[in-house]
Amino acid sequence: MIREKIAKIAAAVNDLTAKSQEEVEALRIQYLSKKGQISELFDDFRNVPKEDKREIGQLLNQLRDAAQNKLVELKAIIDTTQSTADKHDLTRSADTIALGTRHPLSLVKEEIIDIFSRIGFSVAEGPEIEDDWHVFGALNFPPEHPARDMQDTFFIEQNPDVVLRTHTSSVQTRIMTSQQPPIRVLCPGRVYRNEAISYRAHCFFHQIEGLYIDKNVSFADLKQALLYFAKEMFGEETEIRLRPSYFPFTEPSAEMDISCDLCGGKGCNFCKHTGWVEILGCGMVDPNVLKACGIDPDVYTGYAFGMGVERIANLKYRVKDLRMFSENDVRFLQQFQ
Ligand code: DAH
């Protein structure tokens, strides 16, 4: 009888739980106080036959110790959880994580890509470390052209054939030599020129190149695409003007101006009182370039254009010092959301 009672209480003690010190105290009273269940068993001990006293006595002592230990354990668990709750304000809302902002050049680059992607252009990229042929040779630069000069191009002394690309037109070469028309790509990327760093020049900057080659592509297509771009980028009222120019890789070539949106074309300091600001170079891909890249100039024609991302960003955000774009000053960067 008493053995079963001891086993039953021992099992119950083993499974005890409590959520507060008050509950622990209630358990103490239930099991260990003078009138508690375990104490009552000790009272019954008197009636245990002599020959069993030794064994039952041990069982009872074990049970009492187990119950005392269990209550100490429960107390300790409640103590530690309560003290962490005291130290920390569990009702406080979580700290917000400071979110970064997109870099202004990325914002502008993505906007340009978005505008041209709506008229069928996809994005292509090429290496920044190039060879002479992809940057100059294939693009119809004569061997003595000044752009190859040490003043402009970073090249590796041990091997003058290895250069940092000076323009993203090198990606045109890569696309045309690996793909047959129709080709309609936009090539964004970083370019390098050996220039003294100042508020208006840096030794690296970013360009976006456009290239469209197919049958019957005309200068009118080029003009229409660029007019669409200017209006999307700078507003519906924007006008464009194309001035004849020269690039080795296009014939005819032009530079494009947009009407100055600061003075509305009336003339101000920003547009040097001309009412126009230059934004890109463009032209019809020179047949020599098509030929060099394995595209038949008797079947295909194409147009190309190239613009500086910093320049466009400047028109949008009026950043006076170009160096701001690469200095990573968060006070500057935070202003572009
Ligand atoms: N590559 C020229 C530069 O770096 C920009 C350019 C002009 C690209 C005319 C073109 C183009 O594709 O047709 O100044």
Side-chain angles (χ1 to χ4, degrees):
M1 250 303 259
I2 192 157
R3 281 196 187 80
E4 284 87 70
K5 277 193 188 165
I6 292 173
K8 218 173 134 197
I9 297 176
V13 162
N14 193 42
D15 292 340
L16 289 181
T17 57
K19 288 198 202 67
S20 65
Q21 301 297 9
E22 289 73 29
E23 283 184 31
V24 178
E25 177 58 13
L27 292 172
R28 191 193 65 77
I29 292 167
Q30 184 185 342
Y31 288 99
L32 294 167
S33 67
K34 273 211 176 86
K35 291 247 155 74
Q37 291 178 16
I38 294 174
S39 311
E40 275 175 1
L41 287 181
F42 273 96
D43 293 342
D44 293 349
F45 185 63
R46 262 176 274 140
N47 309 324
V48 170
K50 212 173 180 183
E51 62 274 21
D52 292 341
K53 272 212 167 19
R54 201 181 137 84
E55 185 211 340
I56 301 294
Q58 273 179 359
L59 288 177
L60 277 175
N61 284 336
Q62 279 169 11
L63 176 61
R64 188 195 49 214
D65 291 350
Q68 281 170 346
N69 289 341
K70 186 73 186 182
L71 294 184
V72 169
E73 194 185 300
L74 290 176
K75 246 183 156 74
I77 292 172
I78 292 163
D79 268 349
T80 44
T81 38
Q82 265 185 353
S83 66
T84 21
D86 291 344
K87 273 191 228 114
H88 303 287
D89 176 1
L90 299 180
T91 62
R92 210 180 99 176
S93 54
D95 284 345
T96 50
I97 298 165
L99 276 186
T101 51
R102 313 288 322 261
H103 193 281
L105 294 181
S106 300
L107 290 173
V108 169
K109 177 184 87 174
E110 249 129 62
E111 190 175 349
I112 297 169
I113 290 173
D114 185 53
I115 292 170
F116 280 103
S117 70
R118 280 180 248 144
I119 52 169
F121 282 79
S122 55
V123 172
E125 283 177 347
E128 293 179 14
I129 302 172
E130 267 291 10
D131 54 54
D132 184 279
W133 189 77
H134 283 92
V135 181
F136 301 121
L139 293 171
N140 205 31
F141 281 80
E144 70 288 355
H145 194 283
R148 285 181 160 155
D149 200 291
M150 277 182 72
Q151 307 273 303
D152 257 318
T153 309
F154 285 114
F155 62 94
I156 310 284
E157 235 167 62
Q158 288 83 348
N159 183 357
D161 190 39
V162 178
V163 300
L164 291 178
R165 67 180 179 196
T166 56
H167 55 181
T168 44
S169 304
S170 57
V171 188
Q172 283 190 24
T173 317
R174 299 229 159 235
I175 298 292
M176 287 189 280
T177 49
S178 63
Q179 207 168 305
Q180 279 296 305
I183 292 171
R184 190 153 29 182
V185 289
L186 219 51
C187 318
R190 183 174 282 187
V191 300
Y192 301 83
R193 288 184 198 178
N194 192 359
E195 305 232 23
I197 297 168
S198 73
Y199 74 97
R200 50 193 294 259
H202 213 299
C203 60
F204 66 80
F205 53 100
H206 300 80
Q207 288 187 331
I208 295 187
E209 188 82 11
L211 176 69
Y212 177 33
I213 302 173
D214 204 346
K215 288 176 180 152
N216 302 319
V217 176
S218 72
F219 200 93
D221 297 324
L222 169 64
K223 193 174 168 187
Q224 210 50 46
L226 293 178
L227 177 63
Y228 155 77
F229 164 69
K231 286 179 180 294
E232 289 293 308
M233 191 77 201
F234 299 104
E236 185 52 36
E237 65 296 339
T238 309
E239 290 177 54
I240 65 167
R241 129 181 133 168
L242 290 162
R243 282 179 289 105
S245 183
Y246 172 78
F247 300 102
F249 36 90
T250 44
E251 182 58 37
S253 305
E255 277 169 311
M256 185 174 99
D257 300 337
I258 57 167
S259 50
C260 178
D261 69 334
L262 204 61
C263 60
K266 283 190 213 77
C268 66
N269 270 344
F270 189 77
C271 60
K272 299 194 194 85
H273 301 282
T274 62
W276 297 94
V277 282
E278 185 199 318
I279 67 159
L280 56 80
C282 60
M284 300 305 291
V285 180
D286 193 300
N288 286 341
V289 173
L290 294 175
K291 227 182 286 168
C293 296
I295 292 174
D296 187 348
D298 292 328
V299 181
Y300 295 107
T301 52
Y303 66 67
F305 55 88
M307 65 185 101
V309 181
E310 279 82 351
R311 173 135 193 95
I312 307 287
N314 233 335
L315 285 169
K316 247 186 122 71
Y317 300 123
R318 316 275 169 200
V319 177
K320 291 206 183 74
D321 189 335
L322 205 76
R323 290 169 291 195
M324 299 289 273
F325 287 124
S326 52
E327 278 172 355
N328 291 333
D329 184 334
V330 288
R331 292 168 301 177
F332 170 70
L333 298 175
Q334 270 168 351
Q335 297 176 53
F336 305 91
Q337 296 289 346

